[in-house]
């Protein structure tokens, strides 16, 4: 049997026309892909080759900083700040910029890492985040259109904040074929958009338990639902389990743009609740959910964290 594949959807800007008669079909294609797999590969041209080069150069520069500088990147939310040298994921190191699509967010982070400034890093991080946030908003808008919940999404969008995470996996040295880069998990975001540079490693688990390897390419972005999306859509879109598997003698870099909702409770749109779809989640505060993920045993170990937190 051929190995399973993820759907690939063309979201290049010139091919997107919300006024065209085929728009709703395209929106449904995105929504069905998310319902069936929790993710899909978007072909997206909003990040130019120059920006792609600049952001991965910036990534290298960031990881080349001394560890005592990188650890200054702290956060109350799990995996928003510096993570490194942890026993369960010895190859992994990561940092995150909060409010990354705002000039202020990008500047605060840059100043923390480079007190005397680093204009090119700051600009690349901001431009990349904005370009990928645009893809997030295209996708979310399409999902909202399919479900007929555009107004509800508009209010969610007003409270949306983005975190950009830089991920590095050290080059494994040894005789094994495969090394664990990142343990299997679901993301605690609403949506995550991942982008990997040259070296593959990301694997996503299908609903029937098979692992799909995702190939890297400059114009492909992996759009993946997070836990909060499952609650928001009343369970229609589930967050897929994914991990990173490394092969020997290669280091790897990836970027993740994560969506969170601040200062607004996430509740299921009324339209998504009916006799066939009874309410499955209570309304919840996304940042309180992140605290639960970080600070409680159940939040760390539950098989379906969002259900344990606010499931009915
Ligand atoms: O490195 C990758 O491709 C995946 C990273 C990831 O899953 C995460 O940051 O949550
Ligand atoms: Fe993840």
């Amino acid at each position: 049997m051929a190995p399973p594949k993820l759907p690939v959807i063309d979201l290049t800007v010139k091919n997107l026309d919300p006024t065209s008669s085929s728009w709703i079909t395209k929106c449904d294609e995105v929504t069905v892909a998310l319902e069936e797999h929790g993710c899909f590969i978007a072909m997206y041209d909003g990040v130019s080759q120059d920006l792609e080069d600049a952001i991965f150069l910036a990534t290298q520069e960031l990881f080349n900083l001394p560890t005592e500088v990188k650890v200054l990147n702290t956060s109350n939310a799990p995996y928003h700040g510096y993570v490194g040298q942890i026993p369960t994921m010895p190859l992994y190191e990561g940092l995150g910029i909060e409010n990354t699509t705002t000039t202020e967010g990008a500047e605060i982070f840059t100043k923390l890492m480079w007190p005397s400034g680093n204009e090119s890093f700051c600009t690349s991080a901001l431009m990349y985040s904005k370009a990928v946030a645009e893809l997030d908003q295209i996708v979310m808008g399409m999902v909202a259109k399919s479900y007929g919940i555009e107004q509800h999404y508009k209010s969610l969008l007003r409270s949306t904040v983005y975190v950009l995470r830089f991920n590095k996996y050290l080059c494994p040295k040894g005789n094994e074929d495969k090394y664990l880069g990142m343990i299997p998990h679901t993301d605690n975001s609403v949506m995550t958009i991942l982008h990997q540079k040259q070296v593959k490693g990301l694997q996503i688990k299908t609903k029937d338990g098979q692992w799909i390897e995702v190939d890297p390419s400059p114009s492909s972005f992996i759009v993946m639902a997070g836990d909060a999306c499952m609650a928001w859509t009343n369970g229609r879109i589930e967050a897929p389990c994914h991990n990173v598997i490394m092969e020997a003698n290669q280091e790897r870099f990836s970027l993740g743009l994560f969506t969170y909702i601040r200062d607004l409770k996430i509740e299921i749109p009324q339209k998504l609740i009916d006799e066939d779809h009874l309410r499955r989640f209570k309304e919840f505060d996304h940042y309180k959910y992140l605290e639960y993920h970080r600070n409680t045993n159940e939040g760390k170990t539950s098989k379906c964290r969002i259900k344990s937190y606010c499931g009915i």
Side-chain angles (χ1 to χ4, degrees):
M1 214 173 67
K5 280 206 155 86
L6 290 179
V8 179
I9 303 181
D10 178 9
L11 296 181
T12 49
V13 176
K14 67 171 177 351
N15 291 335
L16 297 180
D17 177 7
T19 62
S20 74
S21 58
S22 59
W23 182 245
I24 186 71
T25 312
K26 187 110 189 170
C27 294
D28 290 347
E29 191 188 348
V30 162
T31 306
V32 167
L34 287 169
E35 286 183 350
E36 287 183 354
H37 305 276
C39 62
F40 65 91
I41 296 172
M43 301 312 293
Y44 178 61
D45 57 356
V47 175
S48 67
Q49 188 60 54
D50 283 353
L51 182 53
E52 161 97 8
D53 293 345
I55 192 67
F56 279 112
L57 203 70
T59 305
Q60 299 244 8
E61 231 186 304
L62 178 63
F63 284 111
N64 284 341
L65 287 170
T67 306
E68 59 269 28
V69 174
K70 290 184 277 194
V71 295
L72 297 174
N73 173 220
T74 56
S75 170
N76 289 331
Y79 292 101
H80 285 195
Y82 179 78
V83 174
Q85 295 95 42
I86 53 174
T88 47
M89 300 192 286
L91 300 176
Y92 177 72
E93 203 183 2
L95 296 101
I97 307 184
E98 283 178 299
N99 295 316
T100 182
T101 54
T102 67
T103 307
E104 197 195 0
E107 280 178 357
I108 289 172
F109 180 85
T110 307
K111 192 118 186 75
L112 191 63
M113 295 293 107
W114 290 276
S116 53
N118 185 338
E119 188 70 36
S120 66
F121 176 90
C122 190
T123 309
S124 306
L126 183 62
M127 283 176 61
Y128 177 83
S129 303
K130 282 186 170 175
V132 180
E134 217 159 283
L135 174 59
D136 169 68
Q137 289 168 26
I138 291 169
V139 170
M140 289 294 283
M142 293 173 92
V143 171
K145 173 87 185 161
S146 276
Y147 290 147
I149 53 170
E150 292 99 319
Q151 286 311 317
H152 190 112
Y153 174 56
K154 266 192 192 154
S155 65
L156 213 60
L157 180 58
R158 279 193 290 274
S159 298
T160 294
V161 293
Y162 291 95
V163 173
L164 177 63
R165 236 186 126 67
F166 298 84
N167 299 316
K168 176 180 178 178
Y169 303 84
L170 291 172
C171 172
K173 296 205 166 55
N175 300 320
E176 311 291 323
D177 287 343
K178 305 215 175 299
Y179 297 82
L180 187 66
M182 186 176 277
I183 52 173
H185 66 282
T186 62
D187 290 346
N188 58 22
S189 51
V190 178
M191 211 44 103
T192 302
I193 300 186
L194 288 166
H195 191 48
Q196 40 184 0
K197 182 169 170 67
Q198 289 163 356
V199 178
K200 66 176 188 188
L202 176 67
Q203 297 189 340
I204 300 172
K205 202 175 181 180
T206 62
K207 286 191 183 173
D208 59 7
Q210 300 188 66
W211 288 94
I212 305 183
E213 276 186 10
V214 187
D215 288 327
S217 121
S219 51
S220 68
F221 293 78
I222 302 116
V223 178
M224 189 188 287
D227 301 334
C229 190
M230 179 172 178
W232 182 57
T233 60
N234 204 13
R236 285 170 175 76
I237 297 176
E238 289 178 22
C241 181
H242 54 287
N243 68 12
V244 173
I245 300 292
M246 297 284 294
E247 288 175 9
N249 302 320
Q250 279 188 310
E251 67 177 2
R252 174 173 184 271
F253 294 96
S254 74
L255 294 164
L257 189 79
F258 298 80
T259 312
Y260 295 95
I261 307 302
R262 184 152 242 162
D263 302 329
L264 176 79
K265 288 216 164 134
I266 300 181
E267 56 175 335
I268 302 169
Q270 212 48 49
K271 207 133 185 214
L272 300 186
I273 303 171
D274 56 38
E275 274 175 19
D276 296 329
H277 304 88
L278 299 178
R279 177 192 291 279
R280 289 177 54 192
F281 298 90
K282 293 178 236 161
E283 64 169 22
F284 70 104
D285 179 293
H286 204 171
Y287 277 76
K288 292 230 167 73
Y289 175 61
L290 303 187
E291 276 170 32
Y292 165 81
H293 179 188
R294 185 193 175 102
N295 298 332
T296 69
N297 217 9
E298 193 184 51
K300 283 182 197 139
T301 57
S302 166
K303 249 184 98 199
C304 185
R305 203 168 42 222
I306 192 76
K307 268 196 212 154
S308 322
Y309 184 66
C310 60
I312 293 177

